[in-house]
Amino acid sequence: MDSRTRTLAKAFSWQLLGLLTMTSIGYFYTGSVRSAGSLALVTAVVGVICYVLHERLWSHVNWGVRPIS
């Protein structure tokens, strides 16, 4: 199982990629860097929270985990 710090590092690096992608998509549709950045920032924050909760919940599920031999 990953440490909490590793889970957070993975979440933030993934969300940074998502933030850049969403800003680009938002700019394409709105033509506004401010609107695109705001939308991307909100989705990034929500995404980090959901990702961390998802990872932490799945760390308690043993289904599909093979023991180390």
Side-chain angles (χ1 to χ4, degrees):
M1 175 170 63
D2 288 345
S3 69
R4 290 175 197 253
T5 303
R6 180 177 167 86
T7 300
L8 286 171
K10 287 168 52 179
F12 283 110
S13 66
W14 175 251
Q15 286 306 313
L16 179 59
L17 178 61
L19 182 65
L20 295 173
T21 303
M22 282 299 297
T23 300
S24 299
I25 293 169
Y27 179 73
F28 176 77
Y29 278 101
T30 66
S32 166
V33 173
R34 182 179 217 152
S35 293
S38 296
L39 176 63
L41 189 58
V42 168
T43 59
V45 170
V46 170
V48 166
I49 292 167
C50 290
Y51 179 83
V52 170
L53 291 173
H54 181 262
E55 286 287 312
R56 290 284 120 196
L57 289 171
W58 268 99
S59 71
H60 297 289
V61 176
N62 293 325
W63 173 79
V65 176
R66 295 183 182 185
I68 299 172
S69 0

